[in-house]
Amino acid sequence: MALKRFCPKCKTLIDAGNRYCSPCQHKIDEQQAERMKQRKEQGKDKERHKRYKAQRKDQREQRFYSSNDWELMKQAIINKYKGMCIYTYYIENRIVSYDTIHHIVPVKDDWNMRLHLYNLIPVTESVHQKLHKMYEKDKEGTQQMLNNLIAKWNGWG
């Protein structure tokens, strides 16, 4: 009789030589593949961001994004939303780590909203790009949708 033990995830009885049962191992493999894909995309995003930053003309915004105030606010947003992409959480029903902090009302549109807690939402880079495309079609509608997601997170909506 082979030695048995419990799968640490679901408590199913498995052979002692296996770390997880087949379904749990499959889930773990999928999660690892997704993390590897995200890391690869982040590397591409860093290069894209370097090129973007080098071409920017707006010195005031560049100084803002390098400021201590922005770093503190970013950390507050990360903590408030548990480091998750809020769009993906509510719209796609998935938990995914954020890549960037998005200004619902862009800094160019209203400088005074740049550090407003409820004007900032953590998103993945792909969602960030999607939001900017949505802004081109229906900026106010997209902003309202993002405000609704923030309200939902905070228990207001």
Side-chain angles (χ1 to χ4, degrees), residues 123-135:
V123 294
T124 64
E125 186 57 38
S126 61
V127 167
H128 194 227
Q129 297 302 320
K130 180 190 285 187
L131 291 174
H132 282 283
K133 287 178 183 168
M134 291 168 68
Y135 273 30

Side-chain angles (χ1 to χ4, degrees), residues 17 82 107 115 138 152:
K82 314 277 190 245
V107 175
L115 291 171
D138 181 12
K152 194 171 187 179

Side-chain angles (χ1 to χ4, degrees), residues 21-22 24 115 117-121 138-139 154:
C21 67
S22 293
C24 290
L115 291 171
L117 185 64
Y118 300 112
N119 186 47
L120 302 167
I121 186 168
D138 181 12
K139 188 174 189 175
N154 289 294

Side-chain angles (χ1 to χ4, degrees), residues 47-132:
E47 286 302 316
R48 184 187 57 77
H49 184 70
K50 281 182 188 177
R51 288 191 307 273
Y52 168 73
K53 192 174 178 182
Q55 295 170 353
R56 286 182 72 161
K57 306 274 188 270
D58 46 357
Q59 296 299 313
R60 183 166 94 160
E61 277 187 49
Q62 278 194 348
R63 281 193 308 274
F64 164 67
Y65 285 117
S66 300
S67 73
N68 192 44
D69 288 343
W70 173 240
E71 291 301 320
L72 291 172
M73 181 54 77
K74 272 190 352 187
Q75 194 58 51
I77 294 296
I78 293 164
N79 292 338
K80 179 171 188 51
Y81 297 104
K82 314 277 190 245
M84 293 190 313
C85 172
I86 299 304
Y87 180 93
T88 305
Y89 181 70
Y90 284 116
I91 304 299
E92 300 176 11
N93 296 312
R94 294 184 306 127
I95 297 174
V96 179
S97 296
Y98 87 102
D99 293 318
T100 191
I101 307 293
H102 175 72
H103 284 88
I104 297 170
V105 175
V107 175
K108 284 179 173 61
D109 292 354
D110 188 347
W111 179 255
N112 293 326
M113 292 292 287
R114 70 191 183 284
L115 291 171
H116 191 280
L117 185 64
Y118 300 112
N119 186 47
L120 302 167
I121 186 168
V123 294
T124 64
E125 186 57 38
S126 61
V127 167
H128 194 227
Q129 297 302 320
K130 180 190 285 187
L131 291 174
H132 282 283

